[in-house]
Amino acid sequence: MDIIEIDSSDSEDDFGFGSESPERLLNDIRTIPSMTTGLSHQKPQNASMRPNFDGRLDARRNDVTNRSENGVSGPSSFAGGNAVDTSTKFKPPQFMEEKFRSKNSLESGDGFHRNANRMLPSSFMHGNSVNNLQPLGISDGQKHLGVGADRQMEGDERHIYQEALQNLAQPRLEDDLPDGFLTVPLLRHQKIALAWMVHKEKSTLCAGGILADDQGLGKTVSMIALIQKQMPQQLKFTSDDSNCVKPEALNLDEDEDVVEVDKTHLQSGGNDGKREQVANLVMQTSHNSRPAAGTLVVCPASILRQWAQELDEKVPDASKLSVLVYHGGTRTKSPSDLARYHVVLTTYAIVTNEVPKQPIVDDDEGEQKNFDKYGISPEFSANKKRKQTSNGRNNLKKKGKKLKDSHLDSDSGALARVRWFRVILDEAQTIKNHRTQVARACCGLRAKRRWCLSGTPMQNSIDDLYSYFRFLKCDPYSVYSSFCAAIKYPISKNSSSGYRKLQAVLKTLLLRRTKGTVLDGEPILKIPPKSICLTQVEFSQEERDFYSKLEADSQQQFKVFAATGTLRQNYASILMLLLRLRQACDHPLLVKGLRSDTVGKYSFDMAKQLPREMLINLFNQLEGSLAICAFCNDPPEDAVVSMCGHVFCYQCVSERLTGEDNQCPAPSCRDVLGTDSVFSHSTLKRCISDNFDDEASTSSTYDEQIITHSGYISSKIKAVLDILKSIANPCREAALMICGSDSNASASNHTSTHLNSNAEVLEKAIVFSQWTSMLDLLELSLNECPIQYRRLDGTMSLMARDKAVKDFNTDPEVTVMLMSLKAGSLGLNMVAACHVILLDLWWNPTTEDQAVDRAHRIGQTRPVTVSRITIKNTIEDRILALQEEKRKMVSSAFGEDQTGSHAARLTVEDLKYLFNCFSD
Ligand SMILES: Nc1ncnc2c1ncn2[C@@H]1O[C@H](COP(=O)(O)OP(=O)(O)OP(=O)(O)O)[C@@H](O)[C@H]1O
């Protein structure tokens, strides 16, 4: 077993003020005539949070927190504000650079680089050629928009440009709540977030934004602080009678009501009777109007209760918020009921069911043309998946949808029948694919202020970001063609300047800090370090033979698709081939279709009764090119097909089967899903072949039979058992075995010292796999050991999941938690664990990061060890390489280097260039 240790202790980072001082930024900006006026007349954003801006502009060095009368502190600089460092070299990611590197690069040698029309800032030139560069305003990317649309977009971008310039000069502000509104003091980075969010909610561009702090930095608490801080405005909105009865045609997004705060609410401790008044007023509204309601939080079902708990625990009784958990079959149908509460918590599934979907963006044509041009990981473009799965079906569905959308309210639920003051999407990456039902439903929610919370907003491609722009209604990028012209296309043409433009845009609406972010020389969060060990295991000889055969078959199949020019049409089949190879790395039995789950169990009897022809049809649906999960729109993991012919991930559908929202999510399909009407691959196969025996025990060679039964302990399972046993027996050898090579003595010493000093306290581990059947197999082995464990996966009810988490967090005897990546990687607080073991690799690394951060977050008191177990010389090596590329893309988009720090600082020159210098 090879163990490679990667020291991932997050490196230094800052909020953007690099070597450049804010004085210099201001001076630079003053040289732009049209901006000088704007800045010199800039008013403090809010009287209640006016900074003590006493002329010291270098916020990083002179940051003195001054508490003013109302408890507000400042000055500081907006974390979202840009640093400017003209000397900083932006290094584009290698893979993008190579893709787009031109043969004839031009360099003038004078620090600026000329193209046909203008000088380019030297910071764009490092490592890049320029002969492809055009002034962005008239670039190819915009040509296809047409003259009118082009002008419109340029007009809209001017606002973004001006906001970006203002950000450069914006001092970093902090804000806080008076005593009595939270049970915990806000951490400094949360105070900065609060000031930024209050500011953003007043923005005329789009009221809201993206809080993209790393997992575990306390975004939930920051958001609760915002709700409390802005409660007077919320109450004003909900209690305004005229507001309540405005007709349907009301354009909420123009309905900006930045009203001066009625501070008596905050200063008097909050519960001043106004909240009750609101409910009464709302009750008076007619049935046809949309009542004005408070804040809606949308999150995955698995963290619904955690939100409720945080709202309960972090808000003291004196200023309690009324909270409704809007979930379950008995939930109210009355919009007025929703409007009674300050905060309504619900799930993405319910939003998808209740809110009319916005139409699908009609981007096929453009996308088709751009696949080759852009080169932005098209293999993983969600759009591509859809294209491969459409076969004309989507057009029909789309037409049906449009018809349906024309009478929106007739079948929409209560969530869609109110006007929200604020909508918060937690784990907002859920809507990253803008074509999915969930994304379109979220965009259909009516709200004045909109927020996305995500530690990993970008996972697969630049397209992920479009969905947020659309939800936030951030013009001009909320229109897909404008997004492509202004952001996506420039990146494809020249990754360096393209990414820098994206960074400039993002800094106007996104705030991101990592765990390594440094504030005034101090890390924003002092938690023990995290070390990541890549444990590369060898297959046994039987496993290797099994894998090699599978690989050869897959390659053969792939060659056939390639030779017949049908790779695209067979996209889903290719994913299936890859899936089997990945599963073979975990345990050969996964490939053979182990089914010990409830879905298989209950539907097998039903399947036996179905006509053979129907079984074959269902089987073809499952195997065919339409196999994309109708819930998450990803290639299905552990695919199952419903009686209505729609395909899902086993876990996605199981989650619904245990809840009340069991309607099929496919467009125009209202079938009710049940445990007996959802069929797995192996169930169908066995029924079609009239072979009701366990498939694994037949059709196999002798060698295969040795390894394709549940009693076989695969190499991966052996590896994880070794690690778990060594955690259960802490000693120096064990520590070295988990973590270490001599080459990284410091991390190993760290672990062993720690183990010694806590020898009496059993350490805990979370084990993640993306396949529940792998967790089943691991369970069989754990049952043989004296290790107590719990399990969490998507098939369990919310109550059962809560109990499992609670047991793990509180019972010292329970030392292992088995979690499915899909159900357990988001939102949960599990700092009881200081070991995380990843049994298999996911396509994008951010999903793994999310999983790891269940343990590595505020509240963790011990160093966290992450073990990633892979098999040597398999597809897993290639997934590792792909993950690396995705990391580069994400860090380029956010302007972070490989260590998470901000490598590239934007300058005023950069902005002028990136936005085609509107002020020139
Ligand atoms: N100011 C604070 N004081 C004390 N505890 C805090 C504070 N802020 C956050 N926490 C705690 O830190 C933990 C992580 O916070 P939270 O769940 O809000 O993080 P997050 O950024 O939303 O993470 P994720 O992206 O994983 O959902 C929680 O247990 C929360 O109660």
Side-chain angles (χ1 to χ4, degrees):
M1 183 191 296
D2 287 355
I3 299 171
I4 301 166
E5 174 143 350
I6 303 155
D7 184 5
S8 75
S9 49
D10 295 303
S11 72
E12 287 221 334
D13 191 352
D14 69 32
F15 283 96
F17 281 92
S19 57
E20 197 73 299
S21 72
E23 288 99 314
R24 170 94 179 268
L25 303 189
L26 283 178
N27 279 334
D28 285 351
I29 288 170
R30 286 194 191 101
T31 63
I32 305 173
S34 67
M35 287 310 299
T36 313
T37 332
L39 281 170
S40 56
H41 294 294
Q42 195 184 336
K43 283 190 294 190
Q45 303 296 335
N46 177 344
S48 72
M49 50 175 277
R50 183 185 295 120
N52 292 324
F53 200 59
D54 58 7
R56 288 167 304 152
L57 294 169
D58 186 336
R60 194 175 70 143
R61 291 178 194 93
N62 302 322
D63 189 10
V64 178
T65 300
N66 298 302
R67 188 164 284 275
S68 60
E69 279 168 18
N70 58 3
V72 174
S73 55
S76 189
S77 83
F78 269 119
N82 286 300
V84 175
D85 181 354
T86 47
S87 65
T88 306
K89 291 178 172 46
F90 176 74
K91 182 79 182 109
Q94 189 73 25
F95 76 106
M96 296 301 286
E97 199 183 326
E98 279 167 10
K99 215 160 207 160
F100 301 109
R101 182 178 288 138
S102 155
K103 286 181 194 126
N104 312 304
S105 93
L106 300 175
E107 288 217 6
S108 68
D110 59 2
F112 273 73
H113 306 263
R114 300 169 204 283
N115 73 351
N117 298 324
R118 55 167 293 135
M119 312 268 271
L120 299 169
S122 54
S123 53
F124 288 167
M125 295 303 116
H126 302 291
N128 263 289
S129 64
V130 295
N131 67 340
N132 275 338
L133 289 175
Q134 297 288 327
L136 297 181
I138 54 165
S139 69
D140 295 349
Q142 289 185 13
K143 276 179 199 156
H144 73 271
L145 282 175
V147 180
D150 187 2
R151 234 178 259 135
Q152 168 73 38
M153 190 182 89
E154 194 168 293
D156 287 345
E157 272 210 301
R158 179 183 293 273
H159 300 298
I160 303 276
Y161 166 64
Q162 289 184 351
E163 178 124 347
L165 275 175
Q166 284 191 20
N167 275 353
L168 286 182
Q170 189 65 260
R172 186 197 300 148
L173 297 171
E174 289 177 29
D175 204 345
D176 208 344
L177 285 159
D179 287 347
F181 282 85
L182 287 179
T183 55
V184 292
L186 289 178
L187 301 171
R188 189 146 173 238
H189 71 278
Q190 292 172 322
K191 292 179 187 173
I192 291 169
L194 180 59
W196 179 76
M197 291 190 289
V198 168
H199 166 75
K200 283 303 302 171
E201 289 209 336
K202 295 177 179 182
S203 168
T204 47
L205 281 178
C206 54
I210 307 171
L211 182 59
D213 286 344
D214 249 3
Q215 296 86 227
L217 283 185
K219 294 186 287 299
T220 314
V221 173
S222 301
M223 227 57 216
I224 295 172
L226 177 71
I227 294 170
Q228 289 282 52
K229 184 83 191 176
Q230 298 293 83
M231 188 50 75
Q233 284 86 343
Q234 178 170 321
L235 293 175
K236 171 105 175 98
F237 172 78
T238 49
S239 63
D240 186 340
D241 200 15
S242 59
N243 205 11
C244 282
V245 292
K246 276 184 184 169
E248 297 290 288
L250 173 79
N251 182 352
L252 276 170
D253 302 309
E254 287 169 6
D255 182 24
E256 183 56 46
D257 74 335
V258 180
V259 196
E260 245 329 291
V261 183
D262 173 3
K263 294 181 199 74
T264 49
H265 165 80
L266 284 181
Q267 280 157 9
S268 69
N271 272 339
D272 51 12
K274 269 196 168 181
R275 298 180 182 188
E276 281 68 37
Q277 231 180 329
V278 178
N280 293 338
L281 280 170
V282 168
M283 286 301 286
Q284 292 162 16
T285 60
S286 78
H287 280 298
N288 290 332
S289 70
R290 292 172 190 273
T295 295
L296 175 70
V297 177
V298 186
C299 64
S302 54
I303 51 172
L304 198 58
R305 278 161 200 265
Q306 192 167 288
W307 257 98
Q309 200 178 328
E310 287 287 275
L311 280 160
D312 187 44
E313 286 175 2
K314 298 294 188 296
V315 179
D317 289 344
S319 52
K320 260 299 172 256
L321 297 167
S322 56
V323 178
L324 172 69
V325 178
Y326 185 70
H327 188 251
T330 54
R331 65 183 184 268
T332 179
K333 292 192 169 37
S334 157
S336 307
D337 282 349
L338 298 187
R340 290 170 196 272
Y341 293 86
H342 299 125
V343 181
V344 175
L345 305 177
T346 194
T347 65
Y348 284 102
I350 292 181
V351 172
T352 311
N353 276 348
E354 290 201 359
V355 182
K357 325 290 174 292
Q358 287 204 338
I360 293 176
V361 174
D362 209 2
D363 55 349
D364 285 7
E365 206 188 321
E367 279 295 286
Q368 186 67 48
K369 280 192 223 138
N370 292 329
F371 263 144
D372 301 328
K373 272 201 291 189
Y374 289 148
I376 303 166
S377 301
E379 296 82 355
F380 297 95
S381 155
N383 187 51
K384 185 166 182 179
K385 277 184 268 170
R386 191 169 73 90
K387 290 197 71 59
Q388 301 319 315
T389 61
S390 58
N391 287 352
R393 259 193 164 207
N394 267 321
N395 287 340
L396 282 178
K397 284 177 186 170
K398 232 193 279 180
K399 273 184 198 150
K401 199 70 220 146
K402 272 185 188 152
L403 278 178
K404 208 159 179 282
D405 285 345
S406 64
H407 45 90
L408 296 177
D409 269 2
S410 58
D411 58 355
S412 57
L415 285 180
R417 289 165 179 264
V418 295
R419 293 172 293 118
W420 297 100
F421 176 69
R422 180 190 289 113
V423 171
I424 299 167
L425 302 185
D426 192 14
E427 305 298 352
Q429 68 278 6
T430 309
I431 66 158
K432 66 179 184 286
N433 183 347
H434 62 89
R435 299 170 190 87
T436 52
Q437 301 250 1
V438 60
R440 289 161 48 216
C442 287
C443 289
L445 284 163
R446 296 179 173 219
K448 281 177 66 64
R449 306 175 182 201
R450 295 161 178 270
W451 286 100
C452 294
L453 306 186
S454 175
T456 54
M458 209 172 126
Q459 300 191 326
N460 286 324
S461 71
I462 300 295
D463 252 3
D464 293 355
L465 295 173
Y466 169 67
S467 198
Y468 308 126
F469 287 125
R470 193 177 189 205
F471 168 75
L472 296 171
K473 306 210 182 298
C474 178
D475 291 332
Y477 314 116
S478 58
V479 175
Y480 191 68
S481 53
S482 305
F483 169 79
C484 289
I487 291 176
K488 189 167 164 176
Y489 186 67
I491 289 174
S492 75
K493 290 285 278 184
N494 182 303
S495 61
S496 173
S497 59
Y499 273 123
R500 287 171 74 74
K501 165 95 179 274
L502 174 60
Q503 288 161 26
V505 170
L506 286 181
K507 289 200 170 172
T508 64
L509 85 161
L510 179 143
L511 175 60
R512 174 170 171 78
R513 283 79 57 90
T514 65
K515 294 200 182 98
T517 297
V518 172
L519 189 57
D520 297 336
E522 291 286 314
I524 53 168
L525 198 60
K526 287 183 184 144
I527 54 171
K530 163 180 90 183
S531 55
I532 302 176
C533 313
L534 179 63
T535 305
Q536 294 185 295
V537 181
E538 293 279 6
F539 267 145
S540 68
Q541 191 53 52
E542 294 82 8
E543 286 169 337
R544 173 59 68 190
D545 292 345
F546 179 87
Y547 181 87
S548 299
K549 184 171 179 307
L550 196 65
E551 190 176 44
D553 291 349
S554 306
Q555 281 166 352
Q556 188 56 37
Q557 181 71 64
F558 187 88
K559 278 182 196 157
V560 172
F561 293 146
T564 52
T566 57
L567 281 177
R568 285 193 169 190
Q569 290 88 320
N570 288 296
Y571 181 73
S573 307
I574 294 166
L575 282 175
M576 186 65 82
L577 297 176
L578 292 173
L579 172 74
R580 291 193 176 132
L581 289 173
R582 287 158 59 216
Q583 289 182 320
C585 293
D586 273 18
H587 196 297
L589 189 49
L590 300 191
V591 182
K592 289 281 171 182
L594 170 77
R595 274 276 166 256
S596 61
D597 50 68
T598 42
V599 170
K601 217 159 53 190
Y602 290 110
S603 61
F604 187 67
D605 290 341
M606 171 71 88
K608 279 195 290 189
Q609 294 165 31
L610 295 178
R612 193 179 150 77
E613 197 183 338
M614 186 173 179
L615 290 173
I616 292 172
N617 279 341
L618 290 175
F619 187 80
N620 289 340
Q621 291 291 104
L622 201 54
E623 286 274 276
S625 59
L626 286 170
I628 293 293
C629 173
F631 281 109
C632 69
N633 223 40
D634 276 332
E637 298 293 341
D638 289 348
V640 290
V641 61
S642 59
M643 199 83 96
C644 49
H646 295 111
V647 174
F648 315 101
C649 300
Y650 162 53
Q651 286 201 53
C652 287
V653 74
S654 302
E655 193 151 306
R656 271 67 178 194
L657 297 178
T658 52
E660 313 291 338
D661 305 295
N662 52 2
Q663 226 168 41
C664 177
S668 324
C669 182
R670 297 264 155 174
D671 269 24
V672 172
L673 305 170
T675 45
D676 59 348
S677 59
V678 183
F679 309 103
S680 68
H681 187 272
S682 62
T683 298
L684 293 172
K685 211 168 159 186
R686 283 158 63 194
C687 293
I688 290 168
S689 63
D690 287 339
N691 175 6
F692 301 141
D693 298 329
D694 190 346
E695 179 195 353
S697 61
T698 59
S699 70
S700 307
T701 64
Y702 173 72
D703 273 354
E704 271 184 28
Q705 282 178 26
I706 296 178
I707 56 174
T708 53
H709 65 86
S710 55
Y712 177 74
I713 299 177
S714 70
S715 301
K716 266 207 184 174
I717 291 183
K718 270 195 200 101
V720 71
L721 289 174
D722 283 348
I723 295 174
L724 291 176
K725 283 175 191 164
S726 70
I727 293 169
N729 300 307
C731 63
R732 183 172 170 72
E733 286 70 27
L736 288 173
M737 190 179 152
I738 301 166
C739 214
S741 55
D742 291 333
S743 61
N744 199 329
S746 66
S748 297
N749 287 341
H750 210 126
T751 310
S752 56
T753 312
H754 168 68
L755 288 173
N756 289 337
S757 63
N758 292 281
E760 69 286 0
V761 182
L762 285 181
E763 298 194 342
K764 301 195 179 199
I766 311 173
V767 184
F768 282 100
S769 172
Q770 54 201 283
W771 295 294
T772 49
S773 34
M774 181 62 173
L775 297 179
D776 293 343
L777 290 169
L778 181 56
E779 267 194 68
L780 293 177
S781 294
L782 282 179
N783 289 337
E784 307 290 312
C785 312
I787 291 178
Q788 282 204 40
Y789 66 90
R790 293 290 183 274
R791 170 172 173 150
L792 189 153
D793 67 45
T795 64
M796 295 159 61
S797 68
L798 292 187
M799 213 188 290
R801 292 189 216 188
D802 272 357
K803 180 162 179 352
V805 172
K806 202 168 167 201
D807 285 356
F808 179 76
N809 280 338
T810 55
D811 185 343
E813 300 295 316
V814 178
T815 56
V816 173
M817 175 65 114
L818 306 181
M819 300 239 272
S820 87
L821 199 61
K822 208 151 208 156
S825 64
L826 296 181
L828 294 170
N829 288 316
M830 301 188 69
V831 288
C834 61
H835 298 275
V836 178
I837 302 169
L838 299 167
L839 274 181
D840 28 63
L841 302 174
W842 182 242
W843 292 115
N844 67 60
T846 49
T847 304
E848 292 179 20
D849 296 345
Q850 284 164 350
V852 167
D853 285 339
R854 296 314 99 220
H856 195 237
R857 59 204 285 110
I858 297 179
Q860 181 54 264
T861 55
R862 297 177 288 190
V864 173
T865 307
V866 182
S867 306
R868 304 172 77 204
I869 306 178
T870 64
I871 304 285
K872 276 185 191 170
N873 301 323
T874 61
I875 188 168
E876 292 192 323
D877 294 338
R878 297 192 287 282
I879 297 177
L880 285 172
L882 273 176
Q883 287 192 344
E884 207 41 48
E885 288 206 351
K886 292 202 175 199
R887 273 194 199 285
K888 285 180 193 161
M889 179 191 64
V890 172
S891 50
S892 299
F894 295 129
E896 294 163 350
D897 65 17
Q898 286 302 291
T899 58
S901 64
H902 291 278
R905 311 280 179 218
L906 290 166
T907 64
V908 173
E909 263 317 306
D910 291 346
L911 289 181
K912 285 171 70 181
Y913 171 68
L914 293 168
F915 288 92
N916 201 24
C917 201
F918 294 119
S919 55
D920 281 353

